[in-house]
Amino acid sequence: MVNEASRMGTLYGLSLGPGDPGLITRRAWALLERRDALWVYPTRSSKSPSYAYDIVGRAGLLPPAEHQALLFPMTHDAEKLVRSWERAADYVLPRLQAGQDVMFLVEGDASTYATFGHLVRSLRAREDGLAVEVVAGVNSFSAASAALARPLCEQDDTVAIVPAAYGVSAIDRLLEDFDSLVLLKVKPLIEDLLDWLEARELLAGASLIERCGAPDERILRGEEMLALRGSTVSYLSLMLVHSPHRIRGERIRGCLKKSTSQAQAASEPA
């Protein structure tokens, strides 16, 4: 479908959920059934498969005639990252300019720690008339909470969503203000996190979910996680940590009554 205003194709950020094809939304499914669009999907290296493409494959959806993996390496090297984003834009932009719609397949949700945002910024730097539609999806921590059959938060609980790469000391400071922590990308710090959970007496309220929704999903609760010492977890792993120790200050419940002066001021014409 061609965008009539710009005569360009539309770039879709197509969220697929974290791994279970049953969590693909009806909107995303309908777009994936189109045969006139180009599929592109991220891969970490030329030798590794695309997890997003695997989700669609397990859903039984066939790719269109044209589909392409785009390399988004797992590195902290800023120059390498920028080069990969620019190469991806080099491939996608001519297709959009020719009027073809492009579906960027994203595991989880395209608005939450996704490579899709990097591609959009690279394209917008080159093309003012870029048309983008983001199709919302189920993110990994929502699916993980559901898999645990445990609420992520209730009533006025507070939640922090943090990449574990910030380090244990930064994560530890969040315990004062948040009831639950979602720790993403825990693989590099798994040993440090286990030590921290033990030292802080948080193991009982913590869980690790690996490859949530995939056929090889693994869930470890509480002290079960200690078996991970000396082993490697998937990059697609997260921890949910609930802190029973947080001391809460006074909270305002409901709406405060207006004072007499406020009520009079509100009733006066502007």
Side-chain angles (χ1 to χ4, degrees), residues 30 96 125 145-146 159 162 224 265 269:
L96 293 170
S145 295
V159 180
V162 191
E224 293 176 345

Side-chain angles (χ1 to χ4, degrees), residues 80-102:
K80 288 183 178 179
L81 288 172
V82 170
R83 284 198 299 269
S84 71
W85 302 337
E86 293 302 317
R87 282 194 298 267
D90 289 341
Y91 182 82
V92 170
L93 185 57
R95 275 76 180 174
L96 293 170
Q97 290 172 332
Q100 186 176 28
D101 286 353
V102 178

Side-chain angles (χ1 to χ4, degrees), residues 222-236:
E223 293 190 359
E224 293 176 345
M225 290 189 293
L226 297 180
L228 295 171
R229 293 194 186 279
S231 63
T232 301
V233 300
S234 167
Y235 167 75
L236 297 168

